[in-house]
Structure formats: C-alpha cells, structure tokens
Amino acid sequence: MKKRILSMLLVITMIVTMMPTVTLAAQTETFGAFTVTTTSGDASTVATYEESAKVLRITGDCTIANTDPGTPTNDTISIESDCTVSLDGVNIEALAPENRNDSINSNPININGAYEVTIFLVDGKKSTLGFTESSNADSDNVNIKLGSGKAGLH
C-alpha cells in the first residue's frame, strides 16, 4: 500500500513540474501576412488582425515575421500597449497614405497611444519598411509613428 501511495505522489509531482514548461512554450499563429510568436501564452492574446484595414494590432510582447519575407506586404502593424516587439524579417511596403482607408494606421509601424514600446531587430534578418509609390512627395518618407509615450528602436 505504501508503494502505491508513493508512486501516486511521484506521478503527481512529475505532472506538476511539467506544467510550467507547457505554458512557457512559444506559440506561433498567422495573422494576415504576418506570423506572431509569443512566449506569454496563445499568440491570439497579444495579436489580432483587422482584415478590412489590413492592420495587425499588437497588445503584448512578441516576435513578428512576414509569412513570406521575400514578398512585401501592404499590411501594417499597430502597437497598442506597453510591450517589446522583435522584427524578424518583416517586409512592409504600405500603401501610400492617400491610398489607404485607415489614415491612422498609414505608416508601416504605428505606436497608437502613450505606450512604452521597445522594438528589436533580430540579428541576421533584414526588415524593410516602406511605401508604395505616392503622388504626394512628402508621403514617400518612412516614419515609425510614435505616441506620446517612451519608445525605442534597438
């Protein structure tokens, strides 16, 4: 009887010690032209995709990559909370602002609000941010739109 109780206790202990490794496993999900990877749980808890505006909305720490880094996308990224974002081969060629339905998210990357955001560029990966050709000379400039919070590009 003692061996059965000891065996059951050992099994329960092993199951409990395995739980954190399952919850910390990286989760990857595709949103539009991007893949989002997070270690803080399900990727859908830190990212949503708005199909009509072609905007990936980020609300937590994650790594973003294009599903096909060799092909530029017109989709944009909107960061909407304090977080750290790593760009891992992102290739965005956003529509010129006058050609977008959503003027708030007209830059390739927008930080919409007073958030503290850190953006990392993954070593060895090329990330490209740009616009399609525009009739407005001023809109050919690439900007990372910053809210009134703290932001850094590393």
Side-chain angles (χ1 to χ4, degrees):
M1 183 70 174
K2 286 183 181 180
K3 286 184 180 180
R4 275 192 177 168
I5 293 173
L6 186 58
S7 296
M8 288 174 50
L9 183 61
L10 182 60
V11 168
I12 291 170
T13 303
M14 289 174 61
I15 290 171
V16 169
T17 60
M18 290 296 288
M19 284 184 187
T21 60
V22 172
T23 58
L24 293 177
Q27 299 291 319
T28 301
E29 193 169 330
T30 300
F31 297 90
F34 301 107
T35 57
V36 176
T37 303
T38 181
T39 56
S40 61
D42 188 5
S44 63
T45 62
V46 299
T48 56
Y49 183 70
E50 188 178 328
E51 179 69 40
S52 62
K54 303 284 187 201
V55 176
L56 175 67
R57 299 189 185 284
I58 300 297
T59 57
D61 298 347
C62 63
T63 299
I64 304 170
N66 274 62
T67 52
D68 179 8
T71 304
T73 180
N74 296 133
D75 295 6
T76 61
I77 299 170
S78 176
I79 300 173
E80 302 179 350
S81 73
D82 296 339
C83 61
T84 299
V85 175
S86 297
L87 301 180
D88 185 9
V90 171
N91 189 355
I92 301 173
E93 190 174 284
L95 294 174
E98 69 267 16
N99 297 328
R100 287 192 67 90
N101 295 335
D102 183 1
S103 61
I104 294 172
N105 294 300
S106 61
N107 289 302
I109 296 178
N110 295 284
I111 299 173
N112 289 322
Y115 302 119
E116 188 168 334
V117 176
T118 303
I119 299 174
F120 287 99
L121 304 175
V122 173
D123 288 339
K125 295 288 185 116
K126 179 180 178 182
S127 289
T128 306
L129 306 175
F131 285 115
T132 59
E133 190 172 328
S134 170
S135 58
N136 180 353
D138 291 337
S139 68
D140 289 336
N141 298 323
V142 174
N143 300 304
I144 296 178
K145 180 183 169 194
L146 305 176
S148 55
K150 300 175 185 175
L153 183 61
H154 303 276

